Amino acid sequence: MNPKEEHVRGTLLIIDDETEILTSLMRQFRKNYNVLTASSAEEGREIMCREPVHVIISDQRMPGMTGAEFFRKIKTEYPDAVRVILTAYSDIEAVIAAINEGSIFRYICKPWDPGEMASAVEEAFRHYRLINSNRQLMQELKESNAALRQEILKKEKAQKELKQHRDSLEKTVEERTATLTRINRLLLKEIQEHRETAKALQIAKEEADAANRAKSEFLAHMSHELRTPLNGILGYAQILKKNKDISESQHSGLDIIERSGNHLLNLINDILDLSKIEARKMDLHPRPLSLQVFLKGISDMIRIRAMEKDLDFRCDISPFLPPGVLADEQRLGQVLLNLLNNAVKFTEKGRVTFQAEAAEKNREKQKKIRFRVSDTGVGIPPEHLENIFSPFRQLASRTGKNKGTGLGLTISRNLVEIMGGSLSVESRAGEGSSFFFELELPEVAGPRPPEKDNRRILAFQGGKRKILIVDDREENRRLLCDLLSPLGFEVQEAENGSEGIEKAVAFKPDLIFMDLIMPVTDGFEAVMHIRGLPELSHVKIIALSANTLEDVRRKSMTAGCDDFVSKPVHTDLVLEKIYDHLKTEWIYEEEEKEKPRKQKDYQRPAAQILHELKKMADMGDISALRKTARELMLEKKEYRDFAEELFRLSKSFEIERIQRLIQVEECTD
């Protein structure tokens, strides 16, 4: 290692009254050391008071104080500084005396050799480092000895304590052995009890799992068995309602059939939803949703029900809501409709209010949306507030009538929690209730609302289209045949998967409606077989099933189905799926401009009845108008045509036309 690297931090003090010597030595050593200079012993001592010095080179002969005298003075105060003296031969005796006293490390005679001077300085710095190293080692040795003494004292104390413990150890061992023997017996007994408990718990768990599986299988089976006849009931009700030749009373009867069927279907869905939630199998399917259109559709449905009960329905949807959000439309709609239907059901007079607004005031970055449903109904007593979200719990309305399963609020609360919110309630008995929750709905580009065409479909444009219906229940096959055949589709039927495969090969359909649960060969196996036939690779397959579990839907897609429709099927949905997969262009019935029926076409009621009807119409009492129209249809058959027209107009809330109808009759009578 060169001197520069080894002594880069060393400080060298040079004291000489001759400037030339100071300059010469500084030039020689300043590259490798921190060099300080002084022209006298007093100046050198002042420097040493200010900063540490490792090696000192001092001239012997200086005015005021010699180098040897200076070293004797600083020896005690700065014992670590290595001292080198420059001397002429005439001063050698004084220098040797100083060396003998230990004041000087080395002397160098003038004139000196630069190499000798460099070696002397390097040796002096090595000596300094050695002194410091030895001192550090001595300090460490002293500390080590002190620690060793402490350790010896601890060991002596420990040996003393050990001797005391040893004296009583035998007795302690005997006592502990007896205690441990007793504890071991207790532990063995406890272990055995734990094993028996664990075995019992395992058996109970297996029984609970088996019960849950049995419950799920039972619910799935019952759902399938109930949905199958509902498929025919609701399907034919929808088909028959499109017949223009039926009377208003028949149309009203079909409405009742459809509403009753949908009510039963909702009960089934509620029970299945609760089962899914309890089994933690409820999945969300968020998709881009046009929020304003969605909320308007919800409010329009409830407004009609509120008007039927003469309730004031207020809808307050903030214009600052994002146009599009990512949400599960079905589940969010299920919660809102449930809360709004409850509000209408338990409110006999007053109003129902539906609000949707941004929960954050920053409209530019809003994502969290607050929904609130309030009413002026019966309210909830404080003692019942904690139980309203429990399953199968209901509060009676003022009429004393309970409708539904009592599952709606339970399912709604769980669905809101699954969507990341919390459903809360504020209520006072006799004053009304308010249910509200907030959801974090990511903002997306709003999808364009679909344009729904309510005109009746007569046929489709283009060439021949073939559809194969595979279902083991004849009524299900006949329903789809009666829906599709009149539209011009060429339809064939198969009653199981094997027959479906054979007919698919021979018939070469464009689309297959495939039931999934069938004897002989089920729909899953049939679909996989068809997908393996190159000549049928173009065929679209839509699964039909009364089992609405998500696992069944996924399994059908894995097998090769293009889409899934749950039973009972909705006829409009069936036609929508055909349009999606076959790209059919429908031919619609042209709407005829309704011609006012002439007064002579009706047999008129008495003037008193017409007067009462006019008062109802002027008051906008739709419910009373409908009720009177029904009574006339049932009790006064001679007024049937008049009553059916009145009922039809009241059903569509056409007050002005009702007033004109009644006014014409009144003036003519």
Side-chain angles (χ1 to χ4, degrees):
M1 181 179 294
N2 61 52
K4 181 177 180 180
E5 294 173 336
E6 190 173 359
H7 304 301
V8 68
R9 295 183 182 177
T11 300
L12 173 64
L13 174 61
I14 304 171
I15 306 173
D16 200 303
D17 59 339
E18 296 183 26
T19 305
E20 292 179 0
I21 293 176
L22 290 176
T23 304
S24 174
L25 291 176
M26 177 176 284
R27 287 190 187 131
Q28 182 177 357
F29 294 113
R30 66 186 176 186
K31 291 183 180 180
N32 299 328
Y33 307 104
N34 179 25
V35 179
L36 306 174
T37 59
S39 59
S40 65
E42 289 78 7
E43 186 182 353
R45 185 164 185 176
E46 290 176 2
I47 291 173
M48 294 182 71
C49 291
R50 293 197 303 269
E51 53 185 297
V53 175
H54 305 135
V55 175
I56 308 168
I57 299 175
S58 177
D59 186 26
Q60 168 62 11
R61 286 193 176 189
M62 292 184 296
M65 186 184 299
T66 67
E69 291 171 346
F70 172 66
F71 284 158
R72 287 191 194 99
K73 283 190 175 184
I74 67 171
K75 175 183 176 182
T76 304
E77 192 174 354
Y78 303 102
D80 292 344
V82 180
R83 299 170 290 279
V84 178
I85 197 164
L86 298 177
T87 182
Y89 284 107
S90 58
D91 297 321
I92 196 69
E93 291 182 1
V95 171
I96 291 173
I99 291 174
N100 292 334
E101 293 173 1
S103 302
I104 300 174
F105 169 68
R106 181 173 175 175
Y107 71 91
I108 298 174
C109 294
K110 298 180 180 179
W112 62 84
D113 178 67
E116 179 187 3
M117 176 64 77
S119 298
V121 170
E122 184 178 353
E123 184 181 354
F125 272 103
R126 267 199 305 270
H127 184 70
Y128 175 81
R129 288 194 299 273
L130 181 62
I131 291 172
N132 276 277
S133 176
N134 288 341
R135 179 176 288 106
Q136 185 176 355
L137 288 173
M138 289 299 294
Q139 181 62 31
E140 291 175 357
L141 182 60
K142 184 185 292 185
E143 292 174 356
S144 178
N145 287 338
L148 183 60
R149 282 196 297 273
Q150 290 295 323
E151 188 67 25
I152 290 171
L153 290 174
K154 287 181 181 178
K155 286 185 177 180
E156 289 176 351
K157 183 179 179 182
Q159 288 175 353
K160 184 177 179 181
E161 292 175 352
L162 182 62
K163 185 177 181 303
Q164 293 174 350
H165 284 300
R166 189 181 295 115
D167 294 341
S168 60
L169 180 61
E170 185 174 349
K171 181 179 179 181
T172 303
V173 168
E174 291 177 356
E175 293 175 352
R176 294 288 176 84
T177 301
T179 303
L180 287 173
T181 301
R182 290 194 302 272
I183 292 173
N184 283 338
R185 284 198 295 267
L186 293 173
L187 283 175
L188 289 172
K189 182 180 178 182
E190 188 173 349
I191 289 170
Q192 183 61 30
E193 291 175 351
H194 276 303
R195 286 175 178 169
E196 293 174 358
T197 303
K199 185 177 179 180
L201 287 173
Q202 182 62 29
I203 293 172
K205 181 179 180 299
E206 291 173 357
E207 290 176 349
D209 290 342
N212 281 332
R213 285 194 300 272
K215 182 181 75 171
S216 297
E217 291 171 1
F218 170 76
L219 289 174
H221 177 72
M222 289 305 298
S223 171
H224 185 276
E225 291 302 310
L226 290 170
R227 285 173 182 272
T228 299
L230 278 175
N231 190 51
I233 295 170
L234 291 174
Y236 274 109
Q238 293 160 18
I239 291 174
L240 291 172
K241 281 172 65 177
K242 294 179 180 180
N243 188 342
K244 295 183 66 176
D245 296 331
I246 64 174
S247 66
E248 284 295 329
S249 60
Q250 291 170 328
H251 197 282
S252 177
L254 290 171
D255 279 341
I256 293 172
I257 292 173
E258 187 175 17
R259 283 199 304 271
S260 300
N262 281 323
H263 180 67
L264 180 57
L265 180 60
N266 289 335
L267 298 182
I268 297 168
N269 289 336
D270 281 351
I271 295 172
L272 285 178
D273 282 347
L274 184 62
S275 177
K276 288 179 186 177
I277 291 169
E278 289 177 344
R280 301 183 184 276
K281 292 184 178 180
M282 177 65 77
D283 296 322
L284 296 178
H285 301 281
R287 294 183 180 86
L289 174 66
S290 179
L291 190 57
Q292 294 282 356
V293 174
F294 167 73
L295 295 177
K296 184 179 183 302
I298 295 286
S299 62
D300 286 346
M301 282 189 282
I302 297 302
R303 181 174 281 106
I304 294 172
R305 296 174 189 174
M307 289 178 70
E308 290 176 348
K309 290 187 67 173
D310 294 327
L311 299 176
D312 177 20
F313 178 69
R314 299 181 183 178
C315 182
D316 183 11
I317 298 175
S318 170
F320 300 109
L321 293 178
V325 295
L326 198 64
D328 188 322
E329 179 177 1
Q330 178 188 352
R331 297 307 178 186
L332 179 57
Q334 182 177 352
V335 172
L336 294 176
L337 283 173
N338 198 310
L339 297 177
L340 287 164
N341 279 327
N342 278 351
V344 172
K345 179 170 67 174
F346 290 104
T347 303
E348 299 301 325
K349 62 179 180 178
R351 67 178 178 274
V352 172
T353 304
F354 175 37
Q355 294 172 293
E357 61 184 355
E360 300 172 359
K361 293 184 179 179
N362 186 349
R363 295 172 181 170
E364 297 298 324
K365 299 180 180 179
Q366 61 185 1
K367 286 185 180 179
K368 186 172 286 189
I369 298 173
R370 181 184 297 113
F371 301 94
R372 181 182 291 270
V373 175
S374 307
D375 63 64
T376 57
V378 296
I380 305 168
E383 63 271 18
H384 292 159
L385 275 175
E386 294 183 2
N387 298 324
I388 60 168
F389 294 114
S390 301
F392 308 108
R393 295 293 184 95
Q394 277 193 326
L395 293 176
S397 67
R398 287 178 179 172
T399 60
K401 297 178 181 179
N402 280 323
K403 297 179 181 179
T405 59
L407 295 175
L409 285 177
T410 304
I411 294 170
S412 296
R413 180 191 61 178
N414 282 280
L415 286 177
V416 170
E417 289 175 355
I418 292 171
M419 289 187 282
S422 178
L423 180 59
S424 303
V425 59
E426 297 172 349
S427 183
R428 296 183 67 176
E431 297 183 12
S433 304
S434 180
F435 289 83
F436 55 93
F437 61 94
E438 294 180 0
L439 292 180
E440 190 86 20
L441 300 178
E443 184 174 352
V444 297
R448 185 176 180 181
E451 296 181 3
K452 189 172 181 181
D453 198 326
N454 294 319
R455 292 177 296 171
R456 189 163 69 98
I457 296 173
L458 298 178
F460 60 89
Q461 298 179 7
K464 180 171 62 177
R465 291 288 193 171
K466 299 178 180 180
I467 295 180
L468 176 62
I469 301 167
V470 186
D471 198 307
D472 60 320
R473 302 295 290 263
E474 181 183 3
E475 58 269 31
N476 293 338
R477 299 195 303 272
R478 293 310 310 159
L479 170 64
L480 291 178
C481 284
D482 290 342
L483 172 65
L484 302 176
S485 294
L487 302 180
F489 290 101
E490 187 176 344
V491 181
Q492 285 197 13
E493 305 175 32
E495 62 182 25
N496 58 61
S498 297
E499 186 181 348
I501 296 169
E502 295 174 2
K503 289 201 172 182
V505 172
F507 184 47
K508 292 184 173 51
D510 299 294
L511 184 143
I512 300 174
F513 284 105
M514 180 71 72
D515 186 29
L516 296 178
I517 309 301
M518 295 181 290
V520 185
T521 301
D522 63 24
F524 299 105
E525 187 177 347
V527 171
M528 288 188 286
H529 188 91
I530 291 171
R531 286 303 181 212
L533 300 174
E535 65 270 27
L536 297 177
S537 60
H538 69 286
V539 177
K540 300 295 183 180
I541 303 177
I542 299 177
L544 297 173
S545 179
N547 191 329
T548 60
L549 293 177
E550 189 62 30
D551 290 343
V552 175
R553 185 187 298 266
R554 280 196 292 262
K555 188 178 176 183
S556 69
M557 296 296 121
T558 303
C561 292
D562 298 288
D563 214 329
F564 183 95
V565 174
S566 61
K567 296 179 182 177
V569 300
H570 195 287
T571 56
D572 288 343
L573 180 60
V574 171
L575 297 177
E576 181 181 322
K577 296 296 183 183
I578 293 175
Y579 172 80
D580 290 341
H581 294 286
L582 297 185
K583 307 304 178 187
T584 51
E585 293 294 333
W586 300 118
I587 299 174
Y588 294 96
E589 178 184 40
E590 292 299 327
E591 292 185 355
E592 297 180 1
K593 292 184 178 179
E594 192 169 350
K595 298 178 181 179
R597 298 179 66 177
K598 295 181 180 179
Q599 154 189 352
K600 64 180 181 181
D601 294 336
Y602 304 123
Q603 184 170 348
R604 304 183 300 276
Q608 183 180 357
I609 296 176
L610 290 172
H611 181 69
E612 292 297 324
L613 289 173
K614 185 177 184 302
K615 286 201 302 185
M616 296 175 193
D618 292 342
M619 294 172 61
D621 194 342
I622 296 294
S623 298
L625 286 168
R626 288 185 186 177
K627 181 180 178 183
T628 305
R630 289 194 198 96
E631 291 173 352
L632 288 173
M633 283 190 285
L634 294 174
E635 300 173 6
K636 306 286 185 179
K637 294 187 178 180
E638 62 271 24
Y639 305 142
R640 187 179 190 88
D641 290 342
F642 173 87
E644 286 182 355
E645 179 70 4
L646 177 62
F647 186 83
R648 185 182 67 80
L649 294 175
S650 63
K651 186 178 177 182
S652 55
F653 300 95
E654 299 184 62
I655 298 295
E656 292 183 3
R657 293 185 62 187
I658 292 173
Q659 289 173 330
R660 287 199 299 271
L661 173 69
I662 297 171
Q663 184 67 37
V664 169
E665 293 297 335
E666 185 180 37
C667 292
T668 309
D669 192 31

